Amino acid sequence: MRIEHIYRYPVKGLTAEALEEVMLAEGQCLPHDRRFALAQGDAPFDPAAPAWLQKRHFGCLMANARLALLHSAFDPKTGQLAIRPPEGPPLLGDTRSESGRAEIAAFLTRHLGEEARGTPRFVEAPGHHFTDVAVKCVSIIGLASLAALEKAVGQKLDLLRFRANVYVSGGTPWAEFDWLGQEIQLGAARLRVFKRIVRCPATEVNPDTAERDAKPPQWLRQHFGHADLGVYAEVIEGGRIAVGDALEPLEGDLLH
């Protein structure tokens, strides 16, 4: 199996950013992946003492489909976040200053409209990632599994609906489920697969139109008896991964 795509999502719920290569570090997510989030006004998130919270506390596609209409780009070197709405002027905000974060929060709050609760905050915390699971990890989807779902429903599905970090080609449908509890070699990194990804209503949202025009969780249950697509894996030995690199399951005496 080979890596076809690598993505990070600097702001939870906003645009995917494609990467040709990235360095994975032991026990970490992709650098800058889900680094920022819009915390709803009633969210108990404390940047000074960050703790994992469920996605409902933040702006997310599961609840806020209209976020898909925003096009964003983050520059880690400068800390600048550009956000372009479907209409009106774009925003260039400074994530490193209090005033810049307030400006970004106000922009996103206006876009959410009635879906904003209280006074949302644009938040980050050093070393914290706003992921859907509490463990820092990398999400991986086998494109053969996605193709099996597409064939079952007779509809093409944009892979960005599923917001994974790594998409791999080759292998058989659902092969990634066989890796549970197992180590894999991904490029120069080694990971341990620990959980199947249960798909949520975020995948119903068309990333181009923001319309809820598909039902992947329902279709997965209907055709395959589960609502899962992809797996989570912890990085246990860091290293570079790049588009074109191999993914190989490791077994027995190959582990060490």
Side-chain angles (χ1 to χ4, degrees):
M1 304 179 77
R2 299 211 168 269
I3 298 175
E4 296 293 337
H5 308 280
I6 304 172
Y7 292 102
R8 70 182 180 199
Y9 307 81
V11 182
K12 187 174 186 69
L14 295 189
T15 305
E17 295 184 354
L19 304 171
E20 287 298 314
E21 61 178 291
V22 68
M23 285 294 298
L24 299 183
E26 180 182 346
Q28 298 297 318
C29 302
L30 264 68
H32 311 296
D33 189 47
R34 277 84 170 185
R35 173 175 167 178
F36 306 100
L38 183 71
Q40 292 280 16
D42 55 5
F45 183 77
D46 181 1
W52 181 82
L53 294 173
Q54 293 179 335
K55 69 181 80 175
R56 62 184 174 82
H57 292 290
F58 306 99
C60 63
L61 291 173
M62 178 184 73
N64 314 115
R66 67 185 66 186
L67 288 176
L69 292 174
L70 298 175
H71 294 269
S72 62
F74 175 62
D75 184 347
K77 293 181 180 179
T78 65
Q80 296 289 310
L81 176 67
I83 308 177
R84 179 167 54 86
E87 298 178 355
L91 171 76
L92 185 62
D94 181 6
T95 64
R96 297 180 179 178
S97 71
E98 186 174 342
S99 61
R101 291 190 295 272
E103 187 179 17
I104 295 168
F107 183 93
L108 293 174
T109 298
R110 288 193 299 272
H111 183 73
L112 286 185
E114 294 180 353
E115 293 176 2
R117 304 196 302 268
T119 304
R121 300 166 292 146
F122 187 74
V123 292
E124 73 166 318
H128 185 77
H129 295 260
F130 296 94
T131 49
D132 287 350
V133 291
V135 179
K136 291 180 181 180
C137 58
V138 174
S139 54
I140 303 170
I141 286 179
L143 291 172
S145 302
L146 177 56
L149 175 59
E150 291 175 329
K151 183 178 180 180
V153 301
Q155 179 175 331
K156 189 72 176 173
L157 296 169
D158 190 327
L159 57 82
L160 289 179
R161 287 179 184 268
F162 302 93
R163 299 180 70 79
N165 296 127
V166 177
Y167 293 83
V168 295
S169 61
T172 57
W174 320 114
E176 54 267 40
F177 294 165
D178 296 333
W179 307 336
L180 283 176
Q182 193 172 327
E183 294 180 11
I184 59 174
Q185 187 75 35
L186 186 66
R190 192 157 49 91
L191 297 84
R192 180 182 295 112
V193 177
F194 68 92
K195 190 178 191 301
R196 288 160 55 153
I197 302 175
V198 181
R199 307 321 312 199
C200 77
T203 61
E204 297 174 355
V205 179
N206 186 309
D208 292 324
T209 67
E211 296 294 325
R212 293 189 183 274
D213 59 3
K215 297 185 179 297
Q218 177 181 319
W219 293 341
L220 284 164
R221 287 190 293 268
Q222 177 183 344
H223 294 282
F224 302 101
H226 59 74
D228 307 338
L229 183 67
V231 292
Y232 292 118
E234 294 180 89
V235 181
I236 56 178
E237 186 177 297
R240 172 185 174 275
I241 67 169
V243 172
D245 282 352
L247 183 156
E248 298 179 2
L250 299 175
E251 297 181 3
D253 59 3
L254 295 179
L255 290 178
H256 300 289

